[in-house]
Amino acid sequence: RAISQKIQSWLTIQSPVVFSIYAIVAAFSSYFSMYAFRKPFAAGSYSEVEDITFLGIVIGYKTLLIISQVIGYCTSKFIGIKLISELPSEKRSSAIALFIGIAWGALLLFAVVPAPWNILCLLLNGLPLGMIWGLVFGFLEGRKVSEILGVGLSASYILASGVVKGIGKWLLNAGVPEFWMPFATGAIFVVPMGIFVFLLSSLPPPNAEDIASRTERAPMNGAARKAFFLRFLPGLLPLTVLYVLLTAYRDFRDNFAVEIWEELGYDKAQAAAMLAGSELPVTVAVLGILAFLMFIKDNRKALLMIHVIMLLGTALIGVSTVLFQMQAIGPATWMILLGLGLYAAYVPYGCILFDRLIAMVGAVATAGFLIYVTDAFGYLGSVVLMLFKDLGSPNLSWLEFFIGASYVTSVVCTVLYLISLVYFQQLKTDSAETSKSDTL
């Protein structure tokens, strides 16, 4: 505690640049490390385990693993609507440690419980991990530099999924048994996770200048959450619905990336390399675009610009898919453009969209509440999409299904972004609240 207090005192007298670098490194590394407990299992093929037949329906074992974890993750998001919005800030770091410990223990069970019963272990694994984003972002929201902090944090999950699956592939090639590989990957990150969460917990709370810029952030009870959502329902509803599609699309692309790359003509070694390599230019481009928003001082203008960026992102998904099918661009370029469009539309949800929305309307609330509302329903969409692929379109290849999903996601999400944009552009708020802006 003494070390933490010294770090906190030191940070309070540092420049915004030094503070931001410290906060980004701590938050990025904490959430990056979490992915070592969530995604490495997807690097395995589990081809030795037969597909599961239930009530005459055949579903792939790996598909059931993914669905099981997503159900746990989705359930966690619904729980998080209450827990994240009500949890006192001083309990965030201990909650992170507890949840990571439970998730790692579930990976141990995944290794020792025989298949197919170990499918349930991934449900237990996903259940606590869904809380981590809200806990980490809680340290960052409500600050005058929240954009750059949120963008830095968001870089973690764009890069982490490919990297930890690459580590998982490396462990498999080194001879680690397939069912032990997820637990072994987590073991590599246990100590780093603890160090970075400690550094994150040493951040000082928002100061008076932060509160003046972004409004006060305080726990919300059930009545406050309901009142806030209903007040802005015409704008929040389309944002929630389209996030269901975006999350389902993003999860499908992420969980079956190896299969998609192989169908695009890459062998297993090349596919593994592309998992991380193709996401690097996406990360740089998306985060560069979103970081620019920190220079927009007026919260209303910033919120509308965020909508425009997200809208262009979903449009890019459709346009790049048309170009790919016309053979105007190659598969690698297509996948990079898809990633750019997807994450330009998706990333703002977890960091800057709701932070600016709350600042614009002047309400005392938490971005974590709104993030978890959209997340909860988003992961339901992920489960539905995977079941639809296995049950409704079993004869389509992964690539064919992915192309169709790209078109649907692009068209529907672009329209819904337009609806939300028009609503918030016309929204009237109290003049004193609306005039609040960033002061960098």
Side-chain angles (χ1 to χ4, degrees):
R1 178 173 296 182
I3 297 176
S4 180
Q5 290 176 341
K6 288 182 179 179
I7 294 174
Q8 191 173 93
S9 299
W10 175 76
L11 285 172
T12 58
I13 61 174
Q14 300 304 310
S15 68
V17 173
V18 173
F19 175 88
S20 297
I21 292 173
Y22 175 96
I24 288 171
V25 170
F28 173 98
S29 303
S30 295
Y31 202 73
F32 189 101
S33 299
M34 183 280 289
Y35 258 72
F37 303 88
R38 181 185 173 196
K39 283 295 183 180
F41 84 93
S45 63
Y46 310 101
S47 56
E48 295 182 1
V49 182
E50 295 182 359
D51 293 342
I52 310 301
T53 302
F54 181 72
L55 298 177
I57 301 173
V58 179
I59 305 178
Y61 173 73
K62 183 176 178 179
T63 298
L64 286 175
L65 289 179
I66 295 169
I67 289 174
S68 180
Q69 189 191 55
V70 170
I71 289 174
Y73 208 75
C74 177
T75 303
S76 180
K77 297 297 182 180
F78 280 101
I79 297 172
I81 293 173
K82 175 178 174 62
L83 190 149
I84 298 299
S85 61
E86 295 183 0
L87 188 71
S89 58
E90 63 271 13
K91 295 184 178 180
R92 288 183 191 132
S93 57
S94 57
I96 292 174
L98 173 64
F99 293 151
I100 290 296
I102 294 172
W104 193 32
L107 293 181
L108 176 61
L109 292 175
F110 177 71
V112 299
V113 174
W117 303 108
N118 60 355
I119 290 173
L120 296 175
C121 299
L122 284 190
L123 188 150
L124 178 60
N125 168 263
L127 192 58
L129 292 181
M131 304 287 185
I132 304 301
W133 177 269
L135 293 170
V136 172
F137 187 68
F139 289 104
L140 309 181
E141 71 166 303
R143 302 177 189 272
K144 61 181 181 179
V145 291
S146 283
E147 266 89 5
I148 193 66
L149 302 185
V151 165
L153 172 59
S154 299
S156 61
Y157 65 75
I158 300 176
L159 287 175
S161 181
V163 172
V164 299
K165 281 184 285 189
I167 293 174
K169 283 285 188 183
W170 174 76
L171 289 172
L172 291 174
N173 293 335
V176 176
E178 199 165 37
F179 288 98
W180 280 95
M181 174 269 294
F183 178 78
T185 306
I188 295 173
F189 284 86
V190 168
V191 173
M193 180 90 195
I195 293 172
F196 289 117
V197 170
F198 169 76
L199 294 177
L200 186 64
S201 68
S202 299
L203 285 172
N207 57 31
E209 191 176 356
D210 291 323
I211 294 173
S213 172
R214 296 299 175 86
T215 73
E216 182 181 359
R217 304 304 163 94
M220 302 174 71
N221 58 27
R225 294 193 297 269
K226 181 179 179 180
F228 186 96
F229 197 85
L230 290 178
R231 181 182 175 188
F232 304 107
L233 183 63
L236 294 176
L237 185 59
L239 286 176
T240 302
V241 173
L242 72 86
Y243 190 72
V244 172
L245 288 173
L246 280 178
T247 304
Y249 181 73
R250 178 229 174 193
D251 252 27
F252 187 89
R253 175 181 179 270
D254 189 34
N255 289 321
F256 298 102
V258 173
E259 289 82 354
I260 293 170
W261 279 110
E262 289 177 359
E263 289 188 19
L264 286 170
Y266 294 79
D267 60 32
K268 291 185 180 296
Q270 292 172 325
M274 293 302 291
L275 286 173
S278 63
E279 302 294 50
L280 184 58
V282 171
T283 303
V284 173
V286 171
L287 302 187
I289 293 170
L290 296 180
F292 170 77
L293 294 168
M294 69 181 291
F295 297 106
I296 302 178
K297 296 182 178 181
D298 183 83
N299 290 313
R300 177 184 290 274
K301 291 179 180 178
L303 180 65
L304 299 181
M305 181 57 68
I306 292 167
H307 273 76
V308 171
I309 292 171
M310 296 188 298
L311 188 154
L312 292 175
T314 54
L316 180 60
I317 292 173
V319 171
S320 63
T321 303
V322 170
L323 293 174
F324 169 69
Q325 290 199 289
M326 293 174 60
Q327 298 184 342
I329 58 175
T333 302
W334 176 54
M335 288 292 279
I336 290 173
L337 289 177
L338 281 181
L340 177 59
L342 167 63
Y343 284 111
Y346 183 87
V347 168
Y349 275 88
C351 56
I352 60 177
L353 173 62
F354 296 127
D355 193 65
R356 284 287 198 168
L357 191 156
I358 292 172
M360 188 193 87
V361 301
V364 177
T366 66
F369 158 60
L370 292 172
I371 290 170
Y372 271 70
V373 169
T374 51
D375 255 354
F377 291 100
Y379 283 99
L380 281 178
S382 183
V383 174
V384 171
L385 185 65
M386 284 184 283
L387 287 175
F388 181 76
K389 167 61 180 73
D390 266 29
L391 304 180
S393 306
N395 296 323
L396 286 180
S397 68
W398 296 109
L399 180 58
E400 291 171 328
F401 186 83
F402 185 59
I403 289 173
S406 298
Y407 283 127
V408 173
T409 300
S410 177
V411 172
V412 176
C413 289
T414 300
V415 171
L416 290 173
Y417 271 135
L418 279 170
I419 294 172
S420 179
L421 174 62
V422 171
Y423 169 77
F424 284 111
Q425 192 276 329
Q426 297 179 344
L427 180 67
K428 303 297 182 182
T429 58
D430 295 340
S431 58
E433 296 171 342
T434 306
S435 63
K436 290 181 180 179
S437 61
D438 299 281
T439 54
L440 292 178

